[in-house]
Amino acid sequence: MLFNVMKWRFPLLAVLLVLWMAGVVRGETVAVIRIDGAIGPATADYIARGIHEAGRQQAQCLVIQLDTPGGLLESTKAIVQQLLASPVPTVVYVAPSGATAASAGCFITLASDVAAMAPTTTIGAAHPVELGGGGMGESKADETMKQKLENYAVSYIESIATKRKHNVEWARASVKESASIAAEKALEMKVIDLTARDLGDLLRLLDGWEINGVKLRTAGAKIVEIPMSASELVFQKLWRPEVMFVLMLIAMYGIIGELSNPGVILPGVLGSIALVLALYMSAILPVNTAGLALLALALGLFAIDVFAPTHGVLTFGGIVAFFLGALMLFDHNEPAFRLSLGYIIPATLLTAAFFVFVVGQGLRAQQLPRKVGVESMCGRTVRAITPINAQGGKVWLEGEYWKAVSDAPIGPGQTVEITAIDGLTVQVKPLAA
């Protein structure tokens, strides 16, 4: 009996050793990160960390599940460089069904070692954003800059497609003509490498795929999700034009509220913090200077109308300028960075109401005559208790005897008007009959 056990033990150990060397027992892993939204600095950091983590775990590959309407050029360049230099095989998978890899997403997909898409997804529309906001009044310099940017984008995507052996002609068309195609057509035109129904199907199709001389073993591999870190998640969610717009409003309301009501402190603190955050985001988001100029003009018109009422003419002009400025603030960006009317219209009405009712009433209240205190005594009429002359006298005021002086002689019991106050002495004059 013992002999039979020993007889089978050694062959079994040999088989297990072979399986372990083949990776079956050891269990291969595939790292997965998911990007849903605009491409920005937080996305670039997330992908860089995903590549590093996949390498640390010795994963077979890193799958980037992508669904994006586009993003910033600088962040896209950083991601493309990371993908091209990645020591870990990278697979960009445009999914789930209905997802898109538009604009920046097209560059990122083509830059991966393996480009894959789920059914009913699209890729393309990689034309660079327009400079200067567009319109009939564009200058020749604007047109030249647009042409330079387009030529750069064409050459950039051509080099990516050439390196990854994708359809160079279509890649060029995606920039110059904003061409966009569905997954099935993309596979047929060799824009991508394969289509897969879901992540499991993708791993099955990738099994045996050779990248840089190494065959992938992904069939049945363990999927290891690499989630966004807390900071990446916060910046990804907050890095939006809507957030920057709201921060600008908070900064404006807070600082102006503090200036119109000195000493409140809290509005000024909140406004200052919001202003710093808005300035930081403006260095990341491409902001249209014409939109900012219109917003500044609107604030100026509101303020002038508060101090010099013009029967609402300047306020109406401020409302129009604010609306147009908010509309143009992000209009020269891709659709992912345009400010929706759902934010612009309420913000315009709120800002107009803020200046007309809050700031306006506060500033006008500061111009009203004093109601309490020493200053409120000027202009009041009282009766002289004793004779009053340049050397002095007495009046009864606020339940107290006050020293009074007058350039003209005043008899006792005569009604006088207080013209000034100097310490505890009041300057009076006879009240005209």
Side-chain angles (χ1 to χ4, degrees):
M1 184 67 176
L2 180 61
F3 176 76
N4 290 335
V5 172
M6 296 297 293
K7 177 182 177 182
W8 289 102
R9 175 180 295 177
F10 292 108
L12 179 60
L13 290 175
V15 171
L16 290 176
L17 180 61
V18 172
L19 291 176
W20 181 85
M21 292 177 64
V24 176
V25 174
R26 179 178 55 185
E28 302 295 353
T29 61
V30 171
V32 176
I33 64 176
R34 303 177 190 276
I35 297 173
D36 182 8
I39 303 298
T43 316
D45 292 342
Y46 181 35
I47 291 179
R49 188 170 61 84
I51 292 174
H52 174 76
E53 187 65 21
R56 190 185 65 81
Q57 297 179 5
Q58 297 184 345
Q60 287 293 296
C61 63
L62 172 66
V63 176
I64 303 172
Q65 184 169 309
L66 181 66
D67 180 12
T68 178
L72 298 182
L73 178 60
E74 289 302 316
S75 299
T76 303
K77 287 169 58 180
I79 293 172
V80 169
Q81 291 169 1
Q82 293 162 9
L83 294 177
L84 296 178
S86 173
V88 180
T90 55
V91 180
V92 171
Y93 178 41
V94 184
S97 294
T100 182
S103 191
C106 182
F107 284 83
I108 294 170
T109 304
L110 296 181
S112 62
D113 290 302
V114 179
M117 297 176 67
T120 66
T121 57
T122 58
I123 185 174
H127 192 281
V129 296
E130 293 184 356
L131 301 177
M136 294 296 292
E138 284 186 327
S139 66
K140 185 176 180 180
D142 292 330
E143 291 293 341
T144 302
M145 290 302 297
K146 286 168 58 179
Q147 189 61 47
K148 287 183 178 180
L149 183 60
E150 180 181 297
N151 292 339
Y152 167 77
V154 168
S155 61
Y156 192 46
I157 202 168
E158 283 180 347
S159 64
I160 294 171
T162 301
K163 181 173 179 61
R164 295 306 193 193
K165 296 181 173 57
H166 293 139
N167 190 322
V168 177
E169 289 300 322
W170 181 87
R172 184 186 299 111
S174 70
V175 173
K176 294 186 70 69
E177 304 168 15
S178 294
S180 180
I181 53 176
E184 294 76 11
K185 189 68 174 178
L187 180 62
E188 178 185 334
M189 297 178 63
K190 297 183 179 180
V191 174
I192 60 174
D193 300 300
L194 53 88
T195 57
R197 297 187 304 275
D198 50 35
L199 189 56
D201 187 35
L202 175 65
L203 298 184
R204 181 183 62 81
L205 294 173
L206 285 174
D207 191 60
W209 200 284
E210 186 172 321
I211 299 177
N212 298 328
V214 178
K215 286 190 177 182
L216 299 182
R217 297 190 295 272
T218 57
K222 178 184 177 182
I223 297 175
V224 178
E225 296 273 356
I226 302 177
M228 274 191 165
S229 65
S231 60
E232 291 165 350
L233 187 60
V234 168
F235 278 107
Q236 182 72 6
K237 295 297 182 183
L238 294 184
W239 183 78
R240 299 286 306 157
E242 295 87 354
V243 176
M244 179 183 167
F245 187 59
V246 171
L247 287 173
M248 290 175 60
L249 294 179
I250 294 175
M252 179 178 65
Y253 299 157
I255 294 174
I256 294 178
E258 180 67 27
L259 293 176
S260 61
N261 298 277
V264 181
I265 298 176
L266 182 59
V269 172
L270 293 179
S272 299
I273 294 173
L275 178 61
V276 172
L277 292 175
L279 290 175
Y280 168 74
M281 296 186 70
S282 68
I284 300 174
L285 291 168
V287 177
N288 191 342
T289 53
L292 284 177
L294 282 172
L295 291 178
L297 174 63
L299 297 182
L301 293 176
F302 286 137
I304 293 173
D305 203 23
V306 166
F307 288 102
T310 57
H311 306 290
V313 175
L314 292 184
T315 296
F316 177 77
I319 293 173
V320 173
F322 186 92
F323 177 80
L324 293 177
L327 198 64
M328 295 174 60
L329 192 58
F330 298 100
D331 238 10
H332 68 292
N333 297 312
E334 298 185 26
F337 304 106
R338 289 179 184 169
L339 203 57
S340 129
L341 287 176
Y343 286 89
I344 295 175
I345 294 176
T348 302
L349 298 177
L350 181 62
T351 302
F354 177 78
F355 272 93
V356 172
F357 297 107
V358 179
V359 177
Q361 293 300 326
L363 292 175
R364 292 187 186 105
Q366 293 183 24
Q367 299 172 1
L368 293 176
R370 297 280 185 173
K371 301 297 183 182
V372 295
V374 176
E375 293 83 354
S376 66
M377 298 180 184
C378 293
R380 293 181 58 178
T381 58
V382 294
R383 288 188 180 276
I385 302 299
T386 65
I388 302 174
N389 52 34
Q391 284 68 43
K394 296 287 184 182
V395 295
W396 181 258
L397 176 64
E398 296 286 337
E400 297 175 319
Y401 287 105
W402 285 68
K403 181 181 179 180
V405 295
S406 173
D407 295 334
I410 298 174
Q414 187 175 347
T415 302
V416 296
E417 179 184 351
I418 299 175
T419 58
I421 298 177
D422 182 13
L424 298 178
T425 302
V426 295
Q427 177 77 36
V428 298
K429 67 177 182 180
L431 192 64

